[in-house]
Amino acid sequence: MFKLRILQASYGDSLTLEYGDGGLTRYALIDGGPGGTYHRSLKNEMERIADEGGSLDFVAISHVDGDHISGVLDLFAQLEAEKAAGNPPLIDVGALWLNSFSKTIDGGRGIQSRFMTAINSAAGAPAMLQSGMALQGIFQGNKLRIKALQLGLDINPGFPDDLVMTDTAPAIQLGDLTITIVGPSQANLNALQAEWEEWLDDNEQVIASGDPQALANSDKSIPNLSSIMFLAEASGKTVLFTGDGRSDHLLEGLGDAGLLNGNGGMHVDVLKVPHHGSDRNATRTFFRKVTADAYVVSANGHPDNPDLSTLIWIVESAHEQNRPIKLIFTNETRSVEKLSEEYPPAAHGYELEVMPSHHWFREIVLA
């Protein structure tokens, strides 16, 4: 048995895995979506799993952006409240996989302290709270880590140096589920650290100024965070989880893990399309090399995700290779409409499915 559930997470990601082990059904949660996801879909999913007598082997946060972490913060807040009241938890959680900003992007280089100094200035702190900057994920990540410790959860068990990354991560076996970490690598983190230092050099004074317009503009130029990316395999089927990772990093990680074939490619049953279909994180070459039967895109048009160009790359690459595919979208967007108009599914060999607006999940039964 191997199932993937895509939860309705508006412009974010939230997915669960269901797998078997000698008659025992096991579960994992990957990301929790933005604010509102917990009450929209994630709580329903946790209640379903608990009603079936299940628990979560682990909760994985691909990275500490609000559209991936907020729903898990809400879940852990409920677990905290239940613990404080002496009530049984909604669901038991075995472990949390979380790469903190201080361990990944900062890495002892003082990046976080420089940022904190800027936003803690008299002008910067209130502006930061109002701006909605993606960097608020730093604080959310720290908050989630504290909640996990208060709940007595193991954080990154089995991963040396408290980091989930390719250089030190062995293949993880959970019943019949095999997980291979394919990102980030230490080389990825080193490159991202350099990008963040350059960004701080350019924006440190802007953050401290507290100018809302300037903060909004600098927010658009923030470098990537480092996503935990992994291949999940059970019953001969595979799902590739990509977070908001970059396709070049993903290909490097797949290669380093020995998962690419002689032509530098691989095929999976399901590919969670990176970064909600943003064309900043993938290329046509990537979709020619990493192929799938089904492509999952969690997005609702904000901020312009998925990009039409990304969808065209997927469809054209599959058509060139004579591969029938299915595209599964959590929401109807203008780019999805334009794809079906400009590349009619019947003529280009693909199926297109959009989750109904009143549904909070879509299940894919792999085995």
Side-chain angles (χ1 to χ4, degrees), residues 8 40 330-331 354-360:
Q8 180 55 259
R40 182 186 303 112
T330 57
N331 295 277
V354 178
M355 284 172 55
S357 58
H358 60 285
H359 285 193
W360 56 267

Side-chain angles (χ1 to χ4, degrees), residues 129-304:
L129 293 174
Q130 296 172 11
S131 70
M133 288 177 69
L135 281 171
Q136 287 187 2
I138 296 174
F139 302 99
Q140 290 181 310
N142 291 339
K143 185 177 180 181
L144 185 65
R145 186 180 183 87
I146 291 170
K147 286 183 179 297
L149 291 172
Q150 291 172 335
L151 289 168
L153 304 184
D154 289 331
I155 301 175
N156 299 341
F159 296 102
D161 301 321
D162 196 24
L163 270 175
V164 181
M165 66 176 186
T166 61
D167 303 69
T168 55
I172 299 147
Q173 198 71 40
L174 297 167
D176 68 341
L177 178 71
T178 302
I179 292 178
T180 305
I181 306 296
V182 296
S185 68
Q186 188 61 61
N188 297 157
L189 297 182
N190 291 343
L192 287 173
Q193 286 166 353
E195 289 183 37
W196 273 83
E197 287 177 327
E198 183 178 351
W199 182 86
L200 268 174
D201 290 341
D202 293 338
N203 291 276
E204 214 161 4
Q205 296 304 313
V206 172
I207 297 170
S209 75
D211 181 344
Q213 183 60 47
L215 282 168
N217 289 335
S218 65
D219 186 38
K220 296 174 184 176
S221 66
I222 289 174
N224 285 338
L225 292 169
S226 53
S227 283
I228 296 173
M229 302 183 286
F230 61 91
L231 181 73
E233 182 174 7
S235 303
K237 300 294 184 179
T238 50
V239 182
L240 185 56
F241 292 93
T242 61
D244 283 5
R246 283 171 31 179
S247 61
D248 55 339
H249 291 175
L250 185 54
L251 282 170
E252 290 170 10
L254 291 169
D256 291 343
L259 295 170
L260 299 181
N261 58 33
N263 296 319
M266 75 173 299
H267 184 80
V268 296
D269 293 283
V270 179
L271 170 63
K272 204 291 294 183
V273 176
H275 203 174
H276 321 290
S278 170
D279 61 11
R280 293 178 300 163
N281 287 62
T283 63
R284 183 188 298 271
T285 298
F286 171 76
F287 292 114
R288 285 174 172 163
K289 288 182 175 291
V290 179
T291 61
D293 295 329
Y295 297 79
V296 172
V297 182
S298 184
N300 70 350
H302 170 81
D304 299 325

Side-chain angles (χ1 to χ4, degrees), residues 337-365:
E337 293 173 355
K338 286 183 69 66
L339 177 71
S340 60
E341 292 168 4
E342 298 179 14
Y343 290 77
H348 289 82
Y350 72 96
E351 294 180 54
L352 189 155
E353 177 187 335
V354 178
M355 284 172 55
S357 58
H358 60 285
H359 285 193
W360 56 267
F361 74 93
R362 163 65 160 89
E363 184 175 83
I364 300 176
V365 179

Side-chain angles (χ1 to χ4, degrees), residues 37-80:
T37 303
Y38 180 68
H39 295 289
R40 182 186 303 112
S41 59
L42 181 54
K43 185 178 181 181
N44 291 339
E45 180 70 349
M46 297 300 96
E47 289 174 342
R48 177 192 74 87
I49 292 171
D51 287 346
E52 294 177 0
S55 61
L56 298 175
D57 281 342
F58 66 91
V59 173
I61 302 298
S62 62
H63 62 296
V64 293
D65 266 354
D67 58 340
H68 293 253
I69 196 173
S70 296
V72 177
L73 276 169
D74 291 337
L75 169 62
F76 281 17
Q78 176 161 345
L79 297 181
E80 273 190 310

